[in-house]
Amino acid sequence: MTSVLTQPRPIRLKGRSFLALALTPEQPFEDWLVRLDDLAARSAGFFMRRPVVLDINGLDIDRTQLRELINKLGARNVRIMGIEGARPSLLGTDLPPAMTDGRPASNIEAPSEGESVESKSPEKTAPPAPPVPQAQPSMLVTQPVRSGQSIIFTEGDVTVVGSVASGAEIIAGGSIHIYGTLRGRVMAGTMGHASARIFCSKLEAELVAIDGYYKTAEDLGPDLRGKAVQFWLEGDTFKVGSLA
Amino acid sequence: MGKVIVVTSGKGGVGKTTSSAALGAALASNGEKVVVVDFDVGLRNLDLVMGAERRVVYDLVNVIQGEAKLTQALIRDKRLETLYLLPASQTRDKDNLTADGVEWVIGALKQTFDWVICDSPAGIERGATLAMRHADVAIVVTNPEVSSVRDSDRIIGLLDSKTLKAENGERMEKHLLLTRYDPVRAERGDMLKVEDVLEILSIPLLGIVPESMDVLRASNVGSPVTLADERSAPAIAYFDAARRLKGEMLPIAIPGEKRGFFGKFFGRKAA
């Protein structure tokens, strides 16, 4: 019974990406809505089960106009889950949240005459984005990470050329590489990236975690201390291997 | 223009005030003009260690609040005529130290003194951050034990981020002063080794001051250890540290070990 209390399960926070349909309204909105109605008339329910993001980049509108547009779309059963390209001042708590860093995927085909969305397989209506070659973002730290410092980089890997002090912490969306002594806490794969790994040239860590699973210094055992090691996940189990 | 040095550590009781007074006196003994500024508002001690507690009229807070002129608050040492003390207030609240006020005082002191030594309070609160804010050089005082080393590491992080130099994108010059080093306990292995401390903190070593009764004795008679008995082991260590601060290259000996550690430590200097 007490083990439940002494070993609290952490809340797992994961990142996930979805393909959303981006609607780009054009001014004047009345004309654009007529064309949208025309499209919807051809295919009932085209917007029904899709996450829709409203891209208002470059549009010169105020909050009242934006709210009006969203209401009009709502009346057409188009529910907006987020707004891209809006100034922060334009969005209030009553409007959908701002979306940033969207990456373009291929165009989604509008249904042609008489076609029903329900009859189509999802692969056809929303083709997966073709893999665009893209550099994985990473962060390089060339100074020792001092006690009390916190390095948070959820986009990718963190590499430290130097030591990570006791009481310092590194949180990375990808893997963590430490060319020095690891004495602090490191959390890799925090955005739900279970294949992330942790590498260090000398292990004295207080805590290591990958994708929400963690081990404290006590769990790591004395035989690994001072060694060059790597950590990875195999399913739910934490694996440790020597790098020497 | 004088050089501003902050003596800091994070942890209390490691020897910041003792080191500030000893280094101040060592630098002043060559005729250079030195002022030691106590930033520990509410818990001032530097006046006691320097034997000036009965001559305090005005203090740092009075100067910042405009109640006294800077020259009125400065206390000249009775033994060394180029050594001055700017005491902290014992009664005022530490919130009376304003960023603008401290900047003005340090700027004014730099004009007339060769060395401005800021004795930082323990902790990482207002007093400590203001003491380090305008420094050109930092001396990180550390004892060879884990809690002191970790606190020093934290302070080094702040020196690299919260000081004026860091905010201007410059690098703060940092030195490690290892104090209360006990050769007997080091021999037994119940103290961190000098090498381990240097490996963790990775800043150049300014000196190793041995644990000694001479330090306590000097404090009790109200004299910096470098003035009380200049042939004592801690005094020699502080004199050497002061010479290194001026840019001299001197070998560093680990107390209790016969051979010099010249090669070993100067191989590390770039750390």
Side-chain angles (χ1 to χ4, degrees), chain A residues 53 56 83 101 107 177:
Chain A
V53 172
I56 59 164
I83 296 178
D101 301 330
N107 285 338
H177 313 257

Side-chain angles (χ1 to χ4, degrees), chain A residues 45 73 83 114 196 207 210:
Chain A
L73 287 168
I83 296 178
L207 181 143
I210 300 173

Side-chain angles (χ1 to χ4, degrees), chain A residues 111-135:
Chain A
S112 51
E113 196 81 43
E115 236 179 339
S116 167
V117 172
E118 277 85 347
S119 66
K120 277 190 140 187
S121 63
E123 283 82 12
K124 275 185 183 164
T125 52
V132 183
Q134 207 163 19

Side-chain angles (χ1 to χ4, degrees), chain A:
Chain A
M1 286 300 276
T2 47
S3 67
V4 178
L5 292 172
T6 53
Q7 295 197 324
R9 300 250 325 252
I11 292 175
R12 297 183 64 189
L13 298 171
K14 294 185 162 193
R16 192 156 294 174
S17 67
F18 298 89
L19 191 68
L21 194 148
L23 263 185
T24 318
E26 290 156 25
Q27 279 165 315
F29 294 137
E30 288 312 319
D31 294 355
W32 182 77
L33 284 168
V34 169
R35 280 184 276 149
L36 186 78
D37 285 339
D38 180 46
L39 171 74
R42 273 186 274 142
S43 163
F46 179 69
F47 294 108
M48 284 282 273
R49 276 190 302 270
R50 291 170 196 273
V52 181
V53 172
L54 197 62
D55 179 3
I56 59 164
N57 217 340
L59 291 183
D60 182 30
I61 53 170
D62 60 25
R63 194 189 288 201
T64 327
Q65 283 171 301
L66 179 62
R67 191 177 292 131
E68 202 179 317
L69 177 65
I70 288 169
N71 287 340
K72 281 181 179 167
L73 287 168
R76 289 165 171 81
N77 281 330
V78 180
R79 287 174 56 212
I80 306 296
M81 60 167 286
I83 296 178
E84 194 180 12
R87 297 187 305 277
S89 59
L90 199 61
L91 300 179
T93 46
D94 56 333
L95 288 171
M99 311 271 285
T100 51
D101 301 330
R103 291 198 196 118
S106 62
N107 285 338
I108 293 173
E109 289 287 319
S112 51
E113 196 81 43
E115 236 179 339
S116 167
V117 172
E118 277 85 347
S119 66
K120 277 190 140 187
S121 63
E123 283 82 12
K124 275 185 183 164
T125 52
V132 183
Q134 207 163 19
Q136 291 286 331
S138 65
M139 185 192 212
L140 177 68
V141 181
T142 52
Q143 301 264 310
V145 184
R146 303 288 182 181
S147 185
Q149 286 180 338
S150 182
I151 288 176
I152 302 171
F153 185 70
T154 50
E155 288 89 343
D157 291 12
V158 173
T159 306
V160 181
V161 186
S163 295
V164 177
S166 157
E169 138 186 293
I170 295 177
I171 299 171
S175 299
I176 297 174
H177 313 257
I178 291 150
Y179 296 95
T181 310
L182 168 58
R183 297 189 177 86
R185 308 154 62 96
V186 289
M187 283 152 257
T190 47
M191 304 298 284
H193 189 42
S195 61
R197 293 191 178 200
I198 294 167
F199 306 85
C200 64
S201 20
K202 194 174 172 195
L203 179 75
E204 304 275 350
E206 292 164 349
L207 181 143
V208 289
I210 300 173
D211 188 23
Y213 294 94
Y214 67 89
K215 276 194 182 292
T216 60
E218 218 157 71
D219 307 328
L220 289 172
D223 47 324
L224 290 168
R225 282 192 56 185
K227 303 262 168 61
V229 292
Q230 61 166 328
F231 296 93
W232 70 95
L233 276 184
E234 259 180 43
D236 283 0
T237 48
F238 229 96
K239 295 281 185 179
V240 194
S242 169
L243 281 175

Side-chain angles (χ1 to χ4, degrees), chain B residues 115-143:
Chain B
W115 300 93
V116 181
I117 300 177
C118 304
D119 180 23
S120 170
I124 52 172
E125 307 300 322
R126 190 187 184 83
T129 48
L130 280 175
M132 69 169 70
R133 179 130 188 100
H134 304 280
D136 301 308
V137 181
I139 296 176
V140 180
V141 183
T142 305
N143 293 165

Side-chain angles (χ1 to χ4, degrees), chain B residues 16-35:
Chain B
K16 285 183 295 300
T17 302
T18 304
S19 300
S20 298
L23 286 172
L27 287 167
S29 63
N30 297 329
E32 288 186 275
K33 272 191 95 175
V34 180
V35 60

